[in-house]
Amino acid sequence: MKRSLFLYFGALFVLAGCQVSESEESQHPSPTPSILEEVGIRVRPEENRACSFTDKKSGYFYATTHTPDTADYFIGWNIGRKRIFRDYQLYSGQGVLQRAEAAVTVYPHALDRIYPQAKETLILFDQITALGIFLQPGRPDPIAIQLDTSLCRFKKADQAGIWFSPLEAPEHFLLASPRKERPFSSERDLLTTDAQAGGFFLVYAISEEEALQTLETIRQKEAQLLAERKNRMEGIARQAHPGSSQDSLDYALVWQALTLDQLITQQQGWGIYAGLPWFNDYWGRDMFISLPGACLVNGQFDIARKILFSFAQFQNTDPGSSYFGRIPNRARPDEIIYNTADGTPRFVIQILEYVRYSGDTSIIRQLYPAVKRSMEGALKYWVDEKGYLCHDDADTWMDAKIKGKIPYSPRGNRANDIQALWVKQLRAAAFFARWMGETDAQQTWNALADQVALQFAKDFWFPDKGYLADRLDKQGKPDLKMRPNQLFALDLISNESQRNQIARTVWENLVYPWGVASLNQKDPDFHPYHEHWNYYHKDEAYHNGTVWLWTNGIAMQRLLEADQTEVAYQLFARMNRQALTEGAVGSLSENADALPKPGASRGERSGTFLQAWSNAEQLRIWNQYFLGVQPDLTDQRVVLRPRIPEAIQQIQARFPVGNGAINLAFSREKDGSIYAYSADEVSITCELDLPEFEPVIQPLQKGEMLWVKKNADRLDIRIIRNKKEVKSFRQPLSTERLKRLSERDVLLKDIRFCQPYLQPGLKCLRVFHDPPLTY
């Protein structure tokens, strides 16, 4: 791993003045090793971890490493929200291959099980609905596969293999066949062939003809298809790998980038699954929260563009509907619903973020009609006399309802986070209007944004509480339940001391070491555990205490903006440990219990085992706030605001910007820290912002480097072009900045995580149900 990064960043490190061993280079002449192979995770039988793989189209396979999990509803192969089959059993010679005896390694692209008598490898292909189950026996014994037929029925056997009919898609076809064209025998659902077959293919199709064509394709092009898939994933892994001094950090970020990439699919146009195993569909809110971490920070601008266009096609275009201009809350092949107040603002905001990262301004003209409809619909149906964006009780991300009707966590009709998103939508729309030459619209929308921003603190800030009201109800009454939503609204609080006070209050009352709770534990409606069926339905707890990992992102962001790097990194590092050592391999879960159950040391994971916005926010925060790279190609500028934790000694990273990239080589030395930024195929103005100094604003031409050494009392700055220094200067400490840092540190001194406390007499724990409630 380190060798591959040496090759990738070696020249940059030499220019940066960091130490690179020439002997190391000469001693390792081998090709760059596979990052995918390097980050493989061994799983012990007693761990029996979940793992998932997708075909990047509409299918995924969900497995456990050692023990069949027949109780899990979604285990096995799922395609287009249909369950195809649950599991399979392999045989070698006369014996069953027992998974409990296998040495298992999970890779981002494959699952390996090494049994005493054979090796199994499970793989999927990109954009092809087929599974490969490769089997290499230790001896030339016959091999066999038998499907679990609880979700599929034997149909027939012929010269191609065994055909099954999936119960949830009976008009479609499932074919089991030898991997290579070898003789075989069949006994209903048992397919036996010789060792030379190398395993089996399972193909799903809408017709027999399509299944046979797919089988022929993967047999003929197997090596090419697998190499293309692996190379694509290697590219994502290289981009995500930060080249740090900590393998655990490097591997966790690679894994999270790749499991997140699993969720970028083409099930209904381009989109991002909300999560696995049961959110394998498109949710507008989740998608556009996830877009920066999934596509922008890693340079997948073309995919981001496709997602924006695909989802724009689902916009409500009926002027007579109160949902006119809205982007769907959820899009499924058989249903589109629009009950979201935040999905549409996030869609408009992400168009602007895409332009800032990619520099592609052509999208403005193409999507401006959709932006304009979003504004017209909101202004016609949902904006009140103060300019606030109104909405129904369950139209925010806290959307759970009793039997689909009565909200468990009502937040109508003016939630604090919705107002912050509305102001950003107004600003983004005004930017687009100016670009389109629509001056009146630009001025109107900017004026409304100013109005809301000016009014917000008057209505939502409560100094005696130290935090913001979560919402104003229809009568204008503030709801003072302490929730994390206010962190999104801090941009509307102009007073820095107030922002820091709110950040501290929220952190110490809602942020546990395992994530951010959705409600303060002192609230009478608090639910300590997500799933506690003897007392309540899990949806009752969903937004009333349950931890949501995606909100870790905004919590860490607010601390990093206040230069509280070390505390924020504690949460970040714990999430990385989860991805590597707990739950589904390489993934962050949707939720966790707020409080540890008796005998536990932390809140138990819950919800989906892989949630897009959990992974995406971790990746966004790493790139934009820990490493601090925030491009804005609308102004040909990039803010460089690194807040690198003390535990990290070096970083070697690449940040795609437009058609090029900014490369970073960071090294922590005994007498200071070195930051070296080089402009790769891009000319851009860099604004370097380090806490104790005024920003360094420096234009960089293609190929130039901004080299900065941070000393205790000054910055030493050099501009390097063609390996030669062309400019150098120093920058002293800033008295004004030191003063602000001191004031900030006083406000946030000794900030700590919320200490779990189960208050007696909680309403939710008063009634015990036996038998327990059911879903």
Side-chain angles (χ1 to χ4, degrees):
M1 177 72 70
K2 298 304 181 191
R3 166 66 180 167
S4 66
L5 290 167
F6 178 90
L7 292 172
Y8 195 75
F9 286 104
L12 178 59
F13 246 52
V14 169
L15 288 176
C18 302
Q19 299 300 313
V20 180
S21 169
E22 293 183 4
S23 61
E24 178 185 353
E25 183 176 10
S26 62
Q27 292 170 9
H28 298 276
S30 60
T32 302
S34 165
I35 296 180
L36 300 185
E37 302 290 342
E38 182 76 21
V39 302
I41 293 178
R42 291 287 301 270
V43 181
R44 299 187 304 273
E46 62 270 21
E47 294 175 303
N48 191 37
R49 296 180 68 181
C51 57
S52 61
F53 307 91
T54 75
D55 59 21
K56 301 287 289 177
K57 186 179 180 182
S58 61
Y60 72 89
F61 195 86
Y62 161 28
T64 49
T65 54
H66 289 84
T67 304
D69 189 350
T70 55
D72 195 303
Y73 185 83
F74 294 96
I75 200 80
W77 201 12
N78 295 255
I79 298 174
R81 297 193 55 79
K82 303 292 185 182
R83 298 178 299 160
I84 308 306
F85 75 90
R86 296 183 64 81
D87 206 350
Y88 56 87
Q89 178 64 65
L90 295 175
Y91 302 82
S92 179
Q94 300 300 313
V96 174
L97 297 181
Q98 301 287 355
R99 291 179 185 168
E101 299 175 357
V104 179
T105 303
V106 182
Y107 301 97
H109 63 298
L111 168 63
D112 275 359
R113 295 185 178 109
I114 300 179
Y115 305 91
Q117 64 272 49
K119 176 184 177 182
E120 170 199 356
T121 300
L122 169 71
I123 58 91
L124 273 71
F125 300 90
D126 280 355
Q127 303 300 320
I128 297 176
T129 48
L131 297 179
I133 301 171
F134 301 165
L135 194 57
Q136 302 171 11
R139 299 186 304 176
D141 292 328
I143 59 175
I145 187 171
Q146 186 172 33
L147 296 193
D148 178 334
T149 55
S150 58
L151 287 176
C152 60
R153 291 290 181 263
F154 171 81
K155 196 169 186 177
K156 66 176 182 179
D158 62 14
Q159 68 276 13
I162 303 178
W163 295 86
F164 299 87
S165 175
L167 297 184
E168 295 188 2
E171 70 281 10
H172 292 175
F173 297 82
L174 173 62
L175 170 63
S177 189
R179 176 184 174 193
K180 297 178 181 177
E181 197 167 354
R182 299 291 301 170
F184 66 89
S185 62
S186 62
E187 186 177 342
R188 289 192 62 82
D189 55 1
L190 179 68
L191 178 70
T192 303
T193 186
D194 59 35
Q196 295 179 53
F200 307 92
F201 284 132
L202 300 172
V203 177
Y204 175 80
I206 62 174
S207 68
E208 289 191 22
E209 293 76 16
E210 182 184 280
L212 293 171
Q213 184 177 7
T214 300
L215 177 62
E216 181 180 2
T217 297
I218 57 179
R219 277 178 172 169
Q220 291 180 353
K221 299 183 177 180
E222 175 192 307
Q224 175 188 336
L225 293 170
L226 293 180
E228 289 173 352
R229 178 175 169 92
K230 189 173 181 181
N231 288 340
R232 176 185 61 77
M233 297 174 75
E234 286 281 359
I236 295 169
R238 284 194 300 273
Q239 177 59 51
H241 195 297
S244 79
S245 51
Q246 300 180 357
D247 279 350
S248 60
L249 170 64
D250 297 346
Y251 295 175
L253 292 174
V254 167
W255 264 107
Q256 289 170 77
L258 286 165
T259 53
L260 175 57
D261 183 73
Q262 287 184 14
L263 304 179
I264 300 174
T265 67
Q266 297 182 53
Q267 178 164 289
Q268 202 171 352
W270 284 86
I272 305 173
Y273 282 165
L276 295 179
W278 54 79
F279 286 138
N280 55 325
D281 43 21
Y282 297 161
W283 291 70
R285 170 191 306 116
D286 302 50
M287 189 177 303
F288 296 115
I289 289 170
S290 301
L291 194 73
C295 298
L296 298 184
V297 300
N298 59 20
Q300 295 193 89
F301 303 144
D302 183 54
I303 292 176
R305 193 178 203 276
K306 290 174 180 176
I307 290 171
L308 289 164
F309 274 95
S310 286
F311 227 64
Q313 295 175 12
F314 298 132
Q315 186 179 40
N316 187 306
T317 57
D318 176 8
S321 169
S322 61
Y323 292 152
F324 175 56
R326 277 194 180 184
I327 293 299
N329 180 35
R330 187 182 66 210
R332 288 177 172 171
D334 59 347
E335 179 190 44
I336 295 177
I337 55 176
Y338 292 94
N339 56 323
T340 172
D342 48 347
T344 305
R346 290 188 182 278
F347 165 72
V348 175
I349 293 163
Q350 287 309 311
I351 297 173
L352 182 55
E353 285 299 297
Y354 164 79
V355 174
R356 285 172 171 162
Y357 266 87
S358 69
D360 173 20
T361 55
S362 68
I363 199 173
I364 297 174
R365 186 172 299 278
Q366 293 167 301
L367 287 184
Y368 186 67
V371 171
K372 200 168 182 179
R373 280 191 293 269
S374 77
M375 298 305 302
E376 291 169 349
L379 291 168
K380 181 177 180 181
Y381 293 107
W382 296 101
V383 174
D384 70 7
E385 66 283 355
K386 289 185 175 181
Y388 290 141
L389 184 65
C390 300
H391 52 85
D392 292 336
D393 272 338
D395 279 6
T396 78
W397 74 277
M398 293 186 164
D399 56 0
K401 296 180 182 179
I402 303 170
K403 297 181 178 179
K405 296 180 180 179
I406 303 171
Y408 281 115
S409 312
R411 300 190 66 228
N413 65 346
R414 287 154 291 180
N416 55 22
D417 54 326
I418 300 301
Q419 307 320 310
L421 291 170
W422 172 232
V423 169
K424 286 187 175 182
Q425 178 184 355
L426 286 163
R427 301 286 190 209
F431 175 87
F432 298 141
R434 179 175 65 84
W435 187 271
M436 296 296 295
E438 296 192 4
T439 307
D440 289 347
Q442 175 201 353
Q443 292 175 349
T444 299
W445 297 339
N446 268 331
L448 186 54
D450 292 341
Q451 176 184 331
V452 175
L454 185 64
Q455 183 66 37
F456 183 84
K458 299 175 184 177
D459 290 333
F460 283 85
W461 166 238
F462 286 81
D464 58 322
K465 299 289 185 180
Y467 61 91
L468 300 177
D470 188 56
R471 60 160 177 158
L472 305 179
D473 67 15
K474 289 182 178 180
Q475 290 72 43
K477 181 182 177 182
D479 178 354
L480 293 175
K481 286 186 177 297
M482 189 192 301
R483 298 186 181 275
N485 306 301
Q486 59 195 293
L487 293 172
F488 296 100
L490 291 193
D491 294 334
L492 300 182
I493 302 297
S494 59
N495 183 291
E496 183 180 2
S497 295
Q498 292 174 2
R499 288 201 307 272
N500 290 332
Q501 183 180 356
I502 294 165
R504 177 168 197 144
T505 299
V506 171
W507 190 275
E508 294 193 329
N509 287 276
L510 292 174
V511 183
Y512 299 96
W514 45 90
V516 183
S518 47
L519 183 63
N520 180 12
Q521 63 187 4
K522 298 175 184 176
D523 192 287
D525 291 323
F526 177 75
H527 291 60
Y529 317 115
H530 186 187
E531 297 192 35
H532 206 42
W533 292 97
N534 284 115
Y535 289 93
Y536 47 79
H537 191 287
K538 69 174 186 177
D539 283 353
E540 186 176 325
Y542 208 29
H543 303 106
N544 287 318
T546 297
V547 162
W548 286 78
L549 272 62
W550 82 274
T551 57
N552 293 355
I554 191 64
M556 289 186 285
Q557 176 181 325
R558 295 313 187 193
L559 283 201
L560 287 162
E561 288 170 341
D563 295 307
Q564 304 302 305
T565 301
E566 301 307 317
V567 180
Y569 190 66
Q570 290 178 44
L571 180 57
F572 186 83
R574 286 185 173 105
M575 292 301 101
N576 287 340
R577 282 201 295 275
Q578 179 184 139
L580 293 178
T581 66
E582 303 172 18
V585 176
S587 306
L588 293 181
S589 61
E590 177 188 15
N591 303 116
D593 292 340
L595 302 189
K597 290 178 179 173
S601 60
R602 56 150 289 168
E604 182 181 352
R605 295 178 313 280
S606 62
T608 62
F609 60 68
L610 165 59
Q611 190 76 358
W613 58 14
S614 299
N615 279 34
E617 279 293 273
Q618 186 85 342
L619 295 167
R620 179 184 72 86
I621 289 300
W622 171 251
N623 284 275
Q624 293 183 352
Y625 286 90
F626 281 109
L627 299 187
V629 178
Q630 301 170 24
D632 185 0
L633 292 191
T634 67
D635 195 31
Q636 284 302 117
R637 178 180 296 265
V638 58
V639 172
L640 307 170
R641 192 180 184 275
R643 299 297 185 264
I644 299 176
E646 292 293 333
I648 298 175
Q649 299 302 305
Q650 68 181 44
I651 293 288
Q652 305 166 45
R654 181 177 185 274
F655 306 93
V657 177
N659 294 321
I662 298 294
N663 294 325
L664 164 65
F666 165 81
S667 179
R668 201 180 298 280
E669 310 292 336
K670 290 182 179 179
D671 58 345
S673 298
I674 295 174
Y675 302 81
Y677 296 94
S678 64
D680 182 1
E681 294 301 317
V682 64
S683 296
I684 198 165
T685 296
C686 296
E687 180 179 326
L688 178 63
D689 183 337
L690 296 172
E692 304 92 344
F693 303 89
E694 294 298 327
V696 176
I697 299 175
Q698 177 64 46
L700 284 187
Q701 300 302 312
K702 292 180 183 179
E704 288 187 337
M705 173 182 287
L706 170 64
W707 185 98
V708 178
K709 183 175 183 182
K710 179 184 176 184
N711 303 289
D713 60 346
R714 70 182 189 279
L715 297 179
D716 293 332
I717 302 163
R718 290 189 277 168
I719 307 302
I720 299 171
R721 181 188 307 143
N722 297 327
K723 300 183 181 181
K724 295 180 180 179
E725 181 181 302
V726 296
K727 181 181 178 181
S728 65
F729 57 99
R730 291 181 172 180
Q731 186 141 314
L733 291 165
S734 166
T735 303
E736 178 60 29
R737 284 224 162 181
L738 290 172
K739 178 183 176 183
R740 285 177 58 193
L741 273 174
S742 176
E743 292 171 349
R744 194 179 297 159
D745 288 344
V746 168
L747 281 170
L748 296 169
K749 183 181 179 181
D750 298 327
I751 187 172
R752 64 177 189 167
F753 287 101
C754 181
Q755 304 301 302
Y757 170 69
L758 180 61
Q759 63 170 315
L762 281 173
K763 290 189 294 184
C764 66
L765 300 181
R766 291 175 185 171
V767 178
F768 182 87
H769 298 274
D770 188 15
L773 301 171
T774 60
Y775 191 84

